[in-house]
Amino acid sequence: HQARVNPEYLMAELLYSGLTRLTQEMKAEADLALSWQASEDLTQWTFTLRPNLKFSDGSPLTAADVVASLQALLDPKNASPAL
């Protein structure tokens, strides 16, 4: 949540997965998400997670975990540059 400069961002890319990632051509491709779809007005996105996702400790990764991560990014207390 705190990557601010290129080396930190690159390290985070190596350590963590996102819903999507960018290809070398700068196009979005699936990572944790199997698929995604935008609402007609582009204000809401629906992501379908790949089945059987797990954290590095083997515990299951759920949609609630993704929501918690996104809420942490949006929380001003965390001062995430993602805002």
Side-chain angles (χ1 to χ4, degrees):
H1 298 303
Q2 296 295 322
R4 297 178 192 276
V5 293
N6 240 11
E8 292 173 350
Y9 176 77
L10 293 172
M11 181 63 74
E13 285 287 307
L14 293 171
L15 294 174
Y16 305 107
S17 294
L19 290 171
T20 62
R21 61 179 167 233
L22 293 176
T23 67
Q24 289 182 340
E25 295 80 28
M26 301 303 287
K27 294 183 180 181
E29 69 177 6
D31 194 359
L32 296 175
L34 183 63
S35 62
W36 56 95
Q37 183 176 337
S39 62
E40 244 181 74
D41 61 1
L42 300 177
T43 59
Q44 292 186 348
W45 289 79
T46 302
F47 288 85
T48 301
L49 296 177
R50 291 185 323 199
N52 304 315
L53 291 170
K54 298 191 183 308
F55 285 102
S56 60
D57 68 358
S59 61
L61 182 132
T62 68
D65 297 313
V66 174
V67 169
S69 291
L70 293 172
Q71 287 175 334
L73 284 171
L74 295 172
D75 187 339
K77 291 185 301 188
N78 293 324
S80 174
L83 283 176

